[in-house]
Amino acid sequence: MRSPAPLVMRCTRILPLLLLSLLAPGVQALPVASRTLLLDATQAGEAIVAVGERGTILRSVDQARTWVTAQNPSAAALTGVSFGDAQHGWAVGHDAIILATTDGGVSWTRQWQGENLSDSFLDVLALDATHVIAVGAYGLCLKTTDAGRTWTRQRILEDDYHLNHLTRGPTGTLYLAGEHGTLLRSTDRGTTWSPIPTPYDGSFYGILPLGERRILAYGLRGRVYRSEDDGGTWQLVTTPEPVLLATGVQTTSGAILLAGGARGLVVATGAGGEFSRRDVGVATGIAELLLLPGEALLAVGEAGAIRLEAAQIQSAITPAGAPTSAHPQR
C-alpha cells in the first residue's frame, strides 16, 4: 500500500519541494510572494491569483509585480486554483477542501470539505462560472454544475491512481493526466472520460494542447511525448535531463516552455523541435508557469513568485550561444 500523500504536494505532480530555497544571483523575488511556497497561479480577469502552503492566497493587480494576501478561512495547503470568469473562482487543496470566491479572489469562503481530511485535491478546472471539476489523490474527483451549491463525486478510474492535472484544449476537449501512465480525455465537459493509450507507465503531470489535435504530455524523469492525432499515436521527444517536468506553456511565437525540477526552462522553439535546458536565473523548482501579457512569464514554486520579463524569455528561446545538447531518455 502506498504511503499517505506528503504534506507539501500536488502529489507526484510536482518535485519534492524544499521549504527553504535561494534565488540565483540577479533574480529579484517579489516582496510578499518570495517568502512563500506557491503551487499554482491563474488569471482572474485583470488580476492574478496564486495559492500555496498553509492556505496562502496571493493576489496581484499589476501583472505579478506586487502582491497582497487574500482573506482565507483555511490553513490547509492549496494546490490548485481556477477561475470561470473574472469574479468566480475556486481553490482546492489538502484536508479535502474546496474554497470559492465571488469577488475576483479578494475574499474566499469554505464551500465544501470532505469528512475524510486525509483526502487531498491536486487540481481544479472551472469551465465557466457554474461548472467546475476538482481532482486529486487516489482517484478523487468531484464536480459541480451549479457554482458549488452541490458537489457530486465521480469515479472515473477503476484504479485509485492519483489524478494530477486538468487542461482544456482549444476545441473544448478536456485532458486529465495522472500516475501510472494515466491520460484521459473528455469531449462532454467532464461527464464521461475515455482513456488515451500511452507507451509509458510512469506518472504524467500534464497535457499541453498545442492545436486542435496536437498535444504534448510530460511527466516523471523528463519524459515528454508528442502526438499529432490527439493521442492516437505518440512520439518520444528528447529532453536534456531526466528530471520531473511539472508544468508547461506555449508562447504566442510557438515556443514550448516546460519547467519543474530542472531549475531553469526546458525549451523547444518549434512544434517538432527537440528540447534543451535554458538558464533564466531561477535556482529553485518551479510548480507552475503562467504566460503574462507582453510575453512576460510568471513562475511559481519553491521561491514563491518570480516574474520573468519578455527579454529574459526571448533570450531563453533564442540564446546567443549554442543550446545545451539533448539526449534521449532511457
Side-chain angles (χ1 to χ4, degrees), residues 63-307:
Q63 294 302 312
R65 293 180 176 88
T66 61
W67 299 82
V68 296
T69 303
Q71 301 174 18
N72 175 13
S74 171
L78 299 175
T79 56
V81 61
S82 182
F83 276 73
D85 59 25
Q87 300 300 315
H88 297 85
W90 287 264
V92 301
H94 296 182
D95 295 350
I97 197 165
I98 300 176
L99 305 176
T101 179
T102 58
D103 58 12
V106 175
S107 62
W108 296 76
T109 59
R110 182 186 283 105
Q111 188 174 79
W112 187 90
Q113 190 165 27
E115 294 181 359
N116 185 358
L117 298 186
S118 66
D119 284 344
S120 292
F121 289 103
L122 304 178
D123 200 19
V124 61
L125 179 63
L127 304 182
D128 52 42
T130 60
H131 192 152
V132 188
I133 304 169
V135 297
Y138 305 109
L140 181 63
C141 179
L142 268 74
K143 59 184 294 187
T144 180
T145 57
D146 56 12
R149 286 187 291 274
T150 59
W151 288 88
T152 304
R153 284 184 180 266
Q154 183 180 19
R155 186 168 181 82
I156 60 179
L157 283 178
E158 291 298 321
D159 299 293
D160 64 346
Y161 297 151
H162 299 334
L163 304 175
N164 293 329
H165 190 47
L166 287 156
T167 48
R168 176 166 47 180
T171 62
T173 299
L174 304 182
Y175 300 98
L176 178 53
E179 70 171 347
H180 284 285
T182 297
L183 296 178
L184 302 173
R185 178 197 300 113
S186 175
T187 57
D188 55 11
R189 295 169 64 84
T191 300
T192 60
W193 294 86
S194 58
I196 302 175
T198 63
Y200 179 54
D201 61 0
S203 293
F204 285 107
Y205 304 121
I207 292 181
L208 177 62
L210 303 174
E212 290 188 5
R213 294 180 58 78
R214 180 182 297 136
I215 56 178
L216 200 73
Y218 51 86
L220 195 64
R221 294 186 55 79
R223 288 278 181 163
V224 176
Y225 290 89
R226 179 187 294 114
S227 175
E228 303 291 337
D229 54 8
D230 203 30
T233 58
W234 294 94
Q235 176 188 3
L236 178 64
V237 182
T238 55
T239 56
E241 52 188 327
V243 296
L244 186 151
L245 297 173
T247 179
V249 296
Q250 184 178 33
T251 69
T252 56
S253 66
I256 301 167
L257 312 178
L258 303 177
R263 303 184 185 278
L265 297 181
V266 179
V267 177
T269 56
E274 294 184 353
F275 285 89
S276 58
R277 184 187 180 280
R278 309 290 169 82
D279 183 13
V280 289
V282 181
T284 57
I286 296 172
E288 185 72 12
L289 295 173
L290 181 66
L291 285 175
L292 302 176
E295 293 296 293
L297 186 70
L298 174 64
V300 302
E302 292 176 5
I306 299 174
R307 177 186 163 99

Side-chain angles (χ1 to χ4, degrees), residues 8 11-17 244 246 260-263 284-287 302:
V8 179
C11 201
T12 52
R13 175 181 170 189
I14 59 171
L15 64 161
L17 292 165
L244 186 151
R263 303 184 185 278
T284 57
I286 296 172
E302 292 176 5

